[in-house]
Amino acid sequence: MAAKLKKGDMVIVLTGKDKGKEGKIASVDPKSGKAVVDGINVYVRATRQSQTSQGGRIPKSMPIDLSNLAIKDANGKPSRVGFKMDGENKVRFAKTTGDVI
């Protein structure tokens, strides 16, 4: 199945503690159906000091389920993603505006 959300897409969070926040997808794991979004779902991890890195409390973005994310359309509103054929190529488009992503 083709990916509806990809790395680099601007998304809006639909549910949870970060509802309404926007961010850019840093990575996607299609097997687990989760994505890491910069600045969203941030938790503090306590790490031990090593020779290469300073220890302490380090904020880290944790994965969020893809079903809780919606792509941001040209109007800045959340939109679902559809697929259509543009000549020979299969392209993604925003269902609210019809614009190709």
Side-chain angles (χ1 to χ4, degrees):
M1 189 172 103
K4 294 190 177 197
L5 296 175
K6 296 182 179 182
K7 179 180 177 179
D9 286 344
M10 285 299 293
V11 292
I12 299 172
V13 180
L14 300 176
T15 59
K17 67 173 190 167
D18 292 323
K19 181 178 180 178
K21 290 187 181 177
E22 302 172 4
K24 185 177 269 192
I25 295 181
S27 66
V28 178
D29 182 16
K31 188 174 269 189
S32 65
K34 293 179 182 270
V36 175
V37 182
D38 294 330
I40 305 294
N41 201 24
V42 176
Y43 286 93
V44 176
R45 289 283 181 224
T47 58
R48 190 167 288 218
Q49 183 176 356
S50 67
Q51 286 185 334
T52 58
S53 65
Q54 182 71 26
R57 296 165 47 98
I58 298 173
K60 182 179 180 186
S61 293
M62 300 300 285
I64 186 169
D65 203 83
L66 289 174
S67 64
N68 296 334
L69 300 173
I71 199 153
K72 186 176 170 185
D73 66 4
N75 299 334
K77 300 219 188 291
S79 174
R80 292 181 297 157
V81 177
F83 294 96
K84 65 181 176 183
M85 295 303 291
D86 185 31
E88 292 290 317
N89 301 326
K90 184 178 182 181
V91 294
R92 300 182 301 156
F93 72 99
K95 292 228 176 175
T96 54
T97 59
D99 295 337
V100 174
I101 298 169

